Amino acid sequence: MRLILTLWLALTSTAAFAAVDIKQVTSPGGIEAWLVEEPSIPFMALDIRIRGGASLDLPGKRGATNLMMGLIEEGAGDLNAQQFQTRREELAATYRFRAGDDLVSIRAEFLTENRDEAIALLRDALINPRFDQDAVDRVRAQVLSGLASDAKDPNTIAGDVFNGAAFPDHPYGSVMDGTPDSVAGLTRDDIVTAHRNALTRDRIYVGAVGDITAEELGPLLDQLLGDLPAEGPALPQDIDFGLAGGVTVIDYDTPQSVALFGHAGIKRDDPDYMAAYIINELLGGSGFESRLMMEVREKRGLTYGIRTYLVPKFHAEMVIGQVASSNATIAEAIEVTRAEWARFAKEGVTQEALDAIKTYLTGAYPLRFDGNAEIASILVGMQLTGLPPEYVINRNDLLNAVTLEDVNRVARELLRPDDLHFVVVGQPEGLEPTD
C-alpha cells in the first residue's frame, strides 16, 4: 500500500510544486508577506502569525493572551458578539483566532466578491475588539471549564509536569491557558493590555493564497494591520532543557498509565535538522512502520501507539515522545523504548531503510499543498523558521542529499538514552521513580 501511494505521489509532485509560485510582497506601509496567486477560484486565504504569544503574559496574569484571543470575535466596533457572528455568516467568511506559546495566529478565508467587507470586519476584530464584560465572563467560563477538564486528563497532567520541570522560571514551564486562580482574577484592563502586547506590527508574518494580485495585497495588508501598535514588548530569553534522565511518577487512579518522555533536541536552523527529521520519522514518527511502533506495539503488544516528535520551539528545543500502556506493562514499555533509543544511537540505520523513508517522505510532501488555507499556512511557517521561498522547490533535493553517514552521525549526537526523562501518570507497577 505504501509503495503504491508513494508512486502515485511521485507522479503528482511536479504539478503540485509548479502551482506554488511564491511572490514576496511589501505593502506601502512596510508589512511583508508571501503570496501565491490562484485566480481560477474566486476565493482567498490569509494566515497571519505574530511572534510573542502567551509568552508575553505579564507576571500574575497567566492566561491573559489566551483569553484575549478567545474574545477577538466576540464583538468589535459597533457590533456586539451576536451581531458580529451574524455579519460574518452573511459574508460567508471564516475567521480563526488562536494563542500559542510563541505566537498568536489569525486565519481568514473569504470569497473574492466579499473581500472588502470581510477584511473590514476582520480589521474591526483586530483593531477595535469590544471586550464587553458579558463576553469576557462567558469566554472566561469556557476557559475555566477547559482547565477543570484538563486537571483530570492524564495526558495533560503529564505534559504540565514535564514542561514545568524542563523549563522552570520560564513561560514554557507554565500552562498557557493559565490556572483557575489566574484566569478568575483577570480584568478587562488585563485583556486590553494583552491585546496591546500581542498584536503588534514588528513581528508579523503573513501568508496569502488565492484570487488576489501582489498589487492588491499590499494595500489590503495596510488596511487590515496598519493601525496595530508598531512594537511589542521584549520576547523571553532562550532556555536550556532542564530535566536530567530519570522517571517521575504522578499517582493517578486509572487502569492505564500514560508517559511523556524526552530530552533536549535540535534547532530548526541547525544544518543537521534534515537528518534529525529523517531520524525521528524512522524512530517514532512514521506510524506503524517506525521502530518504536514495531518494538513496543507489534512485537510485544504493550501499547496501541507510540510516537516521537521533534519540537524546535523559538526559545528551546526538544525530542519528545508519548506512549500509554496498562499499569502492569508500562514499565516494560519504558524499558523497551529506552533500549531502542540506545540501539538506534549506537547502530544507526541501513541504506535500505534510509532509501525507503526518503522515497516515502519525498512522495508525501506534495500532499501538504492541497488547498489555499494549507498553502498559506506553509508560507507563513517557512517565514517563521527562516526558510527561503525556493525551499518548496528544493526541499526534496535537500532531503535526498542527506547521506547514510549524516544520519548515523546525527543519531549518535541527537539520541541520548541516558538523558531521557519519563513523566508517568497512573499507578505503574514495578516502576521506581528517580525523584
Side-chain angles (χ1 to χ4, degrees):
M1 289 293 292
R2 170 174 284 189
L3 177 61
I4 293 171
L5 174 62
T6 300
L7 289 173
W8 179 81
L9 291 171
L11 290 173
T12 62
S13 61
T14 300
F17 288 139
V20 183
D21 178 18
I22 300 174
K23 297 181 179 179
Q24 295 177 273
V25 177
T26 301
S27 76
I31 298 172
E32 297 182 356
W34 287 8
L35 166 67
V36 172
E37 296 183 19
E38 179 46 71
S40 63
I41 301 175
F43 172 79
M44 180 179 173
L46 268 179
D47 197 319
I48 302 165
R49 315 279 177 93
I50 307 176
R51 278 201 60 183
S55 291
L56 297 177
D57 282 344
L58 297 178
K61 306 297 182 182
R62 199 64 168 133
T65 302
N66 178 66
L67 180 57
M68 180 273 296
M69 291 301 290
L71 286 160
I72 287 288
E73 61 178 337
E74 294 292 328
D78 296 331
L79 306 178
N80 63 26
Q82 183 175 357
Q83 291 168 335
F84 184 95
Q85 297 301 332
T86 298
R87 182 57 178 153
R88 181 188 58 77
E89 291 173 3
E90 290 172 349
L91 295 172
T94 299
Y95 306 138
R96 298 180 181 87
F97 306 94
R98 183 178 180 275
D101 281 332
D102 290 316
L103 48 80
V104 295
S105 64
I106 301 105
R107 297 179 179 179
E109 300 172 57
F110 43 84
L111 299 171
T112 303
E113 63 183 275
N114 296 332
R115 180 199 299 162
D116 292 344
E117 294 90 342
I119 288 297
L121 186 62
L122 180 58
R123 179 194 179 278
D124 259 354
L126 298 179
I127 307 297
N128 300 309
R130 290 168 61 113
F131 301 137
D132 292 332
Q133 191 60 51
D134 62 333
V136 172
D137 293 341
R138 181 176 64 256
V139 177
R140 188 205 315 270
Q142 295 169 358
V143 173
L144 290 172
S145 176
L147 290 173
S149 178
D150 288 345
K152 301 176 183 178
D153 178 62
N155 287 291
T156 302
I157 295 169
D160 292 347
V161 172
F162 186 92
N163 291 329
F167 306 111
D169 303 319
H170 191 277
Y172 288 165
S174 61
V175 179
M176 180 193 76
D177 293 353
T179 67
D181 287 343
S182 70
V183 173
L186 293 172
T187 66
R188 185 182 185 278
D189 286 345
D190 295 328
I191 295 166
V192 170
T193 298
H195 176 263
R196 165 62 182 81
N197 289 343
L199 273 65
T200 59
R201 295 200 310 275
D202 57 331
R203 294 191 283 258
I204 286 178
Y205 300 81
V206 181
V209 180
D211 184 23
I212 190 169
T213 66
E215 292 74 22
E216 294 169 324
L217 180 60
L220 179 148
L221 294 175
D222 284 344
Q223 176 193 352
L224 178 62
L225 305 169
D227 290 331
L228 289 174
E231 296 182 350
L235 296 173
Q237 297 294 311
D238 293 349
I239 185 171
D240 293 330
F241 185 88
L243 260 177
V247 176
T248 299
V249 176
I250 307 299
D251 184 69
Y252 192 83
D253 186 11
T254 175
Q256 178 174 263
S257 290
V258 300
L260 181 68
F261 55 92
H263 57 54
I266 183 171
K267 294 182 182 297
R268 180 60 184 85
D269 60 359
D270 191 294
D272 286 327
Y273 186 85
M274 190 65 80
Y277 173 69
I278 292 172
I279 290 164
N280 179 70
E281 287 296 316
L282 289 167
L283 177 63
S286 58
F288 287 99
E289 296 189 21
S290 73
R291 284 196 180 186
L292 286 174
M293 189 72 88
M294 293 298 295
E295 294 295 328
V296 182
R297 172 184 163 133
E298 297 301 319
K299 291 185 179 180
R300 295 171 176 84
L302 300 174
T303 185
Y304 285 111
I306 181 170
R307 292 295 302 268
T308 61
Y309 310 88
L310 296 180
V311 185
K313 299 170 80 69
F314 284 111
H315 305 292
E317 49 281 336
M318 300 177 284
V319 185
I320 62 172
Q322 60 188 88
V323 64
S325 191
S326 72
N327 286 328
T329 58
I330 188 67
E332 184 182 359
I334 289 173
E335 179 183 2
V336 174
T337 298
R338 188 181 281 115
E340 190 59 30
W341 212 272
R343 187 170 75 89
F344 199 123
K346 180 180 179 180
E347 299 177 5
V349 302
T350 65
Q351 187 66 54
E352 181 182 9
L354 177 58
D355 291 343
I357 198 67
K358 282 183 177 181
T359 299
Y360 174 69
L361 293 174
T362 55
Y365 187 57
L367 279 185
R368 300 183 187 180
F369 299 83
D370 63 350
N372 285 6
E374 290 75 14
I375 297 173
S377 178
I378 290 170
L379 297 185
V380 76
M382 288 169 58
Q383 294 173 69
L384 281 163
T385 52
L387 297 171
E390 58 268 22
Y391 179 80
V392 297
I393 303 300
N394 63 27
R395 180 266 194 184
N396 280 352
D397 291 336
L398 294 171
L399 191 145
N400 281 324
V402 176
T403 67
L404 183 65
E405 181 181 359
D406 292 331
V407 168
N408 290 337
R409 172 183 55 80
V410 175
R412 290 191 297 270
E413 298 168 356
L414 177 67
L415 302 178
R416 301 186 290 277
D418 291 341
D419 290 347
L420 279 174
H421 194 101
F422 292 80
V423 173
V424 183
V425 178
Q427 296 178 330
E429 299 174 14
L431 185 64
E432 294 297 324
T434 60
D435 52 7

